[in-house]
Amino acid sequence: NLMNLHAEYLERENKAKIESQAKILALNNDVISKQRALNIIIGVVAVLSVALALALFQNVRQKKRANALLEQRVRERTMEMETNNAESLKALEKSNQQMKRISSEVNSSTATIKGLCKLSNQDASVVNAGQYISKIEAASDKLQSGILRTLGIGENVAS
């Protein structure tokens, strides 16, 4: 009978060990499945992170290219504007010089006419009147020519 008790004791002990090992095995399987799920989540996050980093890198490269292109366009447009500005300043200077020359001619013609008028008032002889009138006519023609050039009409207009 002692042997039977001892055998039952060993059998219960073995069953307890088997049950505890089964529980440990179940817990290990649970930990392994949770670890797998965590590994999958980490893998997905890593892939998404890499994809996001690549997308951001591409975006930065595109923006750099676009900025470089815009900078080039700005430089070209600036050069065009500087060239146009220089040409406009030259044209303005030429126009100013022409205006000064024409103004000088007009002032000279006006002064000549005024002087001839004063002389004709002082020297009222009929003999000299024709000379004064032809000189006044020449000075007024010169004045009219300067005015027409100023207006851009030309010198071919008949009086």
Side-chain angles (χ1 to χ4, degrees):
N1 202 0
L2 193 56
M3 283 269 238
N4 277 343
L5 278 175
H6 187 41
E8 284 178 20
Y9 174 75
L10 287 177
E11 190 178 322
R12 272 188 267 145
E13 200 175 276
N14 283 338
K15 280 183 183 180
K17 281 184 183 179
I18 289 173
E19 284 178 13
S20 93
Q21 286 178 352
K23 286 181 183 178
I24 291 173
L25 188 59
L27 288 175
N28 281 341
N29 285 338
D30 189 40
V31 168
I32 289 172
S33 67
K34 286 181 181 179
Q35 186 65 39
R36 274 191 192 133
L38 184 61
N39 287 343
I40 290 171
I41 291 172
I42 289 172
V44 169
V45 168
V47 168
L48 291 176
S49 296
V50 169
L52 179 63
L54 288 174
L56 290 174
F57 179 72
Q58 285 289 74
N59 190 10
V60 168
R61 280 184 34 196
Q62 281 181 331
K63 284 184 180 182
K64 282 183 180 181
R65 278 190 230 133
N67 284 341
L69 183 63
L70 286 175
E71 282 293 324
Q72 180 62 29
R73 286 183 183 169
V74 165
R75 282 192 294 273
E76 289 171 0
R77 185 68 180 130
T78 300
M79 287 175 59
E80 284 178 27
M81 291 175 79
E82 288 174 351
T83 301
N84 290 342
N85 188 31
E87 289 173 0
S88 296
L89 289 175
K90 284 180 185 177
L92 179 63
E93 182 60 30
K94 184 178 178 182
S95 177
N96 284 342
Q97 288 176 357
Q98 186 178 10
M99 291 297 286
K100 285 178 185 177
R101 183 178 47 79
I102 292 171
S103 175
S104 174
E105 288 178 12
V106 168
N107 286 338
S108 172
S109 298
T110 305
T112 301
I113 291 172
K114 284 182 181 179
L116 289 173
C117 288
K118 283 186 181 180
L119 281 175
S120 69
N121 284 337
Q122 289 175 359
D123 187 9
S125 69
V126 178
V127 177
N128 292 332
Q131 289 177 340
Y132 291 130
I133 290 174
S134 65
K135 288 181 181 180
I136 290 173
E137 187 177 0
S140 66
D141 286 345
K142 189 175 178 183
L143 179 62
Q144 184 181 17
S145 171
I147 291 170
L148 293 175
R149 275 194 312 249
T150 302
L151 297 175
I153 297 174
E155 297 183 22
N156 296 336
V157 178
S159 300

